[in-house]
Amino acid sequence: DPSLRPTREELRPTREELRPTREELRARIEAALQSTAGNQTEAARLLGVSRRTLIHRLEELGIARPRKK
């Protein structure tokens, strides 16, 4: 019976369901930093966020900011 099928709206994931978990976010950030040799500007670009947002997330997740040597 077609009336028992869920609608598109009912099947569409919510924003919360699409948001990555803290562990997924940490893994993505760490991978981006590793692939850019710690370059925060480039890592932010890869992640599609501003450098300031990346720094905020590093602080939020307790990830040490890479420093120039």
Side-chain angles (χ1 to χ4, degrees), residues 12-63:
R12 183 174 291 139
T14 65
R15 292 186 93 180
E16 283 299 315
E17 291 169 330
L18 292 174
R19 182 169 287 140
T21 64
R22 285 179 66 87
E23 294 79 20
E24 291 167 337
L25 187 57
R26 173 182 281 279
R28 289 174 59 194
I29 290 171
E30 288 174 343
L33 287 168
Q34 185 174 5
S35 73
T36 61
N39 184 314
Q40 295 169 47
T41 302
E42 283 299 307
R45 188 184 58 74
L46 284 176
L47 294 166
V49 298
S50 70
R51 183 174 162 275
R52 184 67 228 149
T53 296
L54 174 61
I55 291 169
H56 176 74
R57 290 186 180 157
L58 291 172
E59 292 167 354
E60 216 174 56
L61 295 167
I63 301 172

